[in-house]
Amino acid sequence: MSNPTASAQGPEKSPEKSPEQPAKKATKKAPPAPQQALFSKIFHWVNLISLLLLLTSGLQIYNANPVFGGRSGWHFPALFTLGGWLAGGRHWHFAAMWFFSMNLLIYGIYIFITRRWKRRYASSSDIQVLQTGKNPKRRNYAWHRVVYTAIMPVLVLAIASGLAMYKPAQFYWLSGLFINWQILRTVHFITVPIVVLFTLMHSLLALKVGQFRLVKSMFT
Amino acid sequence: MQPTPPSRRISGRILTRRRILQLSGLSGAGVLLNACGAPLYSNQVSQVSEPLNQRVEGLLLRPQTPVPEYPVSAITPDALLINSFNGTPQIDPATFQLTLDGAVDRPMQLSMAELQAMPLTSMVIRHVCVEGWAAIVQWGGVRLQDLATLVQPKPEAKYVYFQSADNYYESWDLPSALHPQTLMAYQRDGHQLAPENGAPLRLATPVKLGYKLSKWVTRISFMADLPDQQGYWEDKGYEWFAGL
């Protein structure tokens, strides 16, 4: 577990079976299925669900006065919104924010104490692989780690910009960092397309690195 | 799992296991995502989350600490949009009377001349609307704190109730009402307040969302308990504290 490249997440342990082989025979010979720490799985689930609620209720709030164009700006279709109207969207948003932020905080403490942030997140060796590496499997693995590492500061930025807008008077120093209200709203909103894009890349890279077995290991 | 050819052959009108799974997945996503005009469980959600949020908002409020203000050059006159639920009442400032009553030792009525004779407080603050927009505005008026000193609220007074000429109504927690930047304003951006902005007298503060800032205020009542009707928008489903 201490060596990231030898961990079950690594490409080295991906099943070597040929596609023609029947699945049942292969499972007996394949290396043990990748395992994820329970804490990581809980974080992943709570993060996924709370982000989905925050994104959809956030678009509902967005529609009350679009960041781009104000009242006459483009609105998101109701299919992507949650809450039905502004007050409902706000209720969902300010309930889900607790699950999202507390989950991230607890997970942050967890990876700090267990030093997982050193082993399971992108390091200089991943950057080196991306610059000079020739092994495509190792390169995919480095991309995977870099991408899921990069989303972490975006999630923190979503909380900081959200807090700055939710309580701009009490956290005036935080709001002040964003220069003006329009920039603050834009930064908070931009986290939505980034998270959507990330979800897509993260899913594809996870499949590339560890096939469905890896994805399954994070969800079950 | 299943090799593809057989399931292809029985496609069409027959529901395969795969098709059923696909459909159930779609409808599951629909239940979660497709709000389509209904305030999906938001009332139930708020019953759980609002007590916590309100408590945190109350703790975050520093009742006697002024919020840092902006320079006059930062004022954005065009950014302040006009919102009203029921038009613009026309009020003659010469005959206008502000009623102060409720759980107070000395209820009274004040004319505009009497209000304007009181110390004028001016501030340049950010006005934030629940819809998401904000504007930097200069407000000038009388501190609600100073009016409270005049009427002497009783110890049991915990809330303040505002009634407006257009029948808008709002209720506030006492600490927010007694914040040094909570004003009964009669000036905006250095000029006399315009009717659409709430003339002759409206609420202004940096510590509450715009829908708490009643325009055309005619009566201010100090109260021991929150009334059933907590506010025009609150009664429709918006949060009560609405602190900033």
Side-chain angles (χ1 to χ4, degrees), chain A residues 71 90-92 98 167 181, chain B residues 40 53 57 131-132 237 239 243:
Chain A
R71 285 173 182 174
R90 286 174 62 91
H91 286 318
W92 273 104
W98 289 111
K167 297 289 167 253
W181 192 255
Chain B
L40 191 82
N53 290 355
E57 290 182 280
E131 292 168 8
E239 65 260 36

Side-chain angles (χ1 to χ4, degrees), chain A residues 47-48 51-52 55 100 151 154-155 158 189-202:
Chain A
N47 195 53
L48 187 71
L51 262 176
L52 183 67
L55 252 66
F100 174 68
I151 198 64
V154 176
L155 299 184
F189 171 71
I190 284 294
T191 59
V192 174
I194 292 177
V195 163
V196 171
L197 200 68
F198 162 78
T199 309
L200 209 70
M201 287 172 68
H202 183 55

Side-chain angles (χ1 to χ4, degrees), chain B residues 44-55:
Chain B
Q44 291 87 329
V45 167
S46 72
Q47 274 167 21
V48 178
S49 61
E50 260 310 292
L52 168 67
N53 290 355
Q54 208 167 294
R55 207 180 155 82

